Amino acid sequence: MSPKALLSRLPVDPYVAAIIGMVGLATALPAHGGGAVVARYATNAAIALLFFLHGARLSPQAALAGAWHWRLHVVVLASTFVLFPVLGLGARALFWGLLTPPLWTGVILLCTLPSTVQSSIAFTSIARGNVPAAICAATASNLLGMGLTPLLVGLLLSAQGGFSARGAGDIVLQLLVPFAAGQLARPWIGNWALRHKTLLGLVDRGSILLVVYAAFSEGVTQGIWRQLSLADLGRLVAVDVALLAAVLVITTYGSRLLGFSRDDEVTIVFCGSKKSLASGLPMATVLLAGQSIGLIVLPLMLFHQIQLMVCAALAKRYANDGRSVDAPASRGEIAPAEP
């Protein structure tokens, strides 16, 4: 059996295993001293490259495609940038003693992040939802998140010292400038980027792994595992699960009350409930410089895995329930063959 086939049979996603492996590597061999300086510069370079490639790949027209369905996009954006922060702030106010301050900072950061692109679209497609609208909604969320996330982090965390005063400038220099450079370079490298999605996907994931290693290296040197008990970890998982469950319930029944079709409900549920690990880790590194980054990004890392597992099961359920629904016909598509 080939290594690729063997990996495909493992019950754990290889990327999830790689992230866990980087946490283990940082725990056993954390970067410190000169190594920490090198890791910090390498991380900054990787973040800049990551957002440069995002800019090179992302067509500005994609955010405008399907803009006619403005009600759906408003609901998705409201779920991502309004509902999540309200739930996060409410949970922190009601259950302040449940988590440590750095973990609550991480929960609030999680609530301000944009939606994912790939998994939102993939799950919408599996569930036979409105895929064109999902592409537009997820893209718009990420484009707007470049500005909205730093603004929300500043508003929600500055009073508690969780937001670096230099964060706004750093987000421009380290994230927006490379992203804009990528957009400007699209006429020359856009087609190349589209032809090499696998290679660029490796760059994406490699950048995130480097960020994870650097963040947890810093956390280990600051005694992160002495600050986090198994009970703390269990409570954090419970908060993440409750947060995701609340959003899924609200987006599901809210979309029905607002009169959206079954297709659009699927899109709202999957695009409105996701949080981007790819954007969140770099943003945390830039926006919350000087904080306990290892602890702060832990809620996001756990939420990312939970949302993938829950939404994968939910997408399959939607797909099974929707086999008798004329969703493809409503979008002028050909229904996929039954397995």
Side-chain angles (χ1 to χ4, degrees), residues 123-163:
F123 286 135
T124 299
S125 177
I126 292 170
R128 304 184 179 190
N130 190 335
V131 175
I135 294 173
C136 178
T139 303
S141 175
N142 274 259
L143 288 174
L144 292 174
M146 299 284 285
L148 285 178
T149 293
L151 176 63
L152 288 172
V153 170
L155 290 174
L156 301 181
L157 296 178
S158 59
Q160 297 180 341
F163 177 67

Side-chain angles (χ1 to χ4, degrees), residues 6-335:
L6 181 61
L7 286 174
S8 66
R9 291 176 176 268
L10 293 177
V12 179
D13 183 272
Y15 186 46
V16 174
I19 290 177
I20 296 172
M22 296 307 289
V23 174
L25 180 61
T27 301
L29 297 171
H32 55 82
V37 175
V38 172
R40 182 167 63 251
Y41 281 113
T43 300
N44 290 339
I47 291 171
L49 177 62
L50 175 67
F51 278 84
F52 173 80
L53 293 176
H54 276 304
R57 282 181 293 177
L58 187 61
S59 169
Q61 289 79 15
L64 299 177
W68 57 271
H69 208 346
W70 62 269
R71 290 179 65 243
L72 180 146
H73 303 315
V74 167
V75 172
V76 170
L77 292 174
S79 176
T80 303
F81 297 113
V82 179
L83 176 61
F84 261 104
V86 168
L87 291 175
L89 291 173
R92 186 179 65 175
L94 292 174
F95 307 105
W96 171 255
L98 196 63
L99 302 176
T100 63
L103 292 179
W104 275 124
T105 297
V107 171
I108 300 302
L109 170 70
L110 154 70
C111 291
T112 66
L113 294 173
S115 178
T116 62
V117 176
Q118 291 90 344
S119 63
S120 293
I121 297 170
F123 286 135
T124 299
S125 177
I126 292 170
R128 304 184 179 190
N130 190 335
V131 175
I135 294 173
C136 178
T139 303
S141 175
N142 274 259
L143 288 174
L144 292 174
M146 299 284 285
L148 285 178
T149 293
L151 176 63
L152 288 172
V153 170
L155 290 174
L156 301 181
L157 296 178
S158 59
Q160 297 180 341
F163 177 67
S164 171
R166 298 167 53 189
D170 289 343
I171 202 76
V172 171
L173 291 176
Q174 295 187 38
L175 304 185
L176 288 179
V177 169
F179 182 85
Q183 287 277 288
L184 293 174
R186 285 193 76 251
W188 296 278
I189 67 173
N191 290 333
W192 176 88
L194 292 175
R195 290 196 305 268
H196 295 82
K197 290 183 178 180
T198 301
L199 175 61
L200 298 183
L202 292 176
V203 173
D204 274 357
R205 295 190 171 201
S207 300
I208 297 304
L209 293 177
L210 183 57
V211 171
V212 170
Y213 175 74
F216 274 87
S217 287
E218 182 179 351
V220 169
T221 59
Q222 295 174 355
I224 178 177
W225 299 125
R226 294 194 300 272
Q227 303 172 42
L228 186 70
S229 65
L230 287 177
D232 291 329
L233 189 60
R235 287 192 289 266
L236 177 58
V237 170
V239 169
D240 276 353
V241 169
L243 183 62
L244 178 61
V247 173
L248 288 173
V249 169
I250 292 172
T251 52
T252 299
Y253 290 99
S255 60
R256 294 176 186 177
L257 288 174
L258 291 173
F260 285 99
S261 67
R262 183 263 182 197
D263 292 2
D264 292 341
E265 174 191 322
V266 170
T267 302
I268 291 169
V269 167
F270 288 113
C271 292
S273 63
K274 299 289 182 305
K275 289 297 178 177
S276 175
L277 183 71
S279 297
L281 290 179
M283 285 185 176
T285 302
V286 175
L287 291 172
L288 302 173
Q291 307 298 316
S292 301
I293 295 297
L295 285 174
I296 289 173
V297 301
L298 193 57
L300 172 61
M301 292 175 62
L302 291 174
F303 186 88
H304 179 75
Q305 313 312 327
I306 293 169
Q307 73 181 7
L308 290 180
M309 291 185 289
V310 171
C311 290
L314 185 59
K316 291 180 180 178
R317 179 176 178 181
Y318 264 118
N320 292 332
D321 292 344
R323 283 186 175 137
S324 60
V325 179
D326 59 344
S330 69
R331 298 190 303 275
E333 300 173 3
I334 299 174

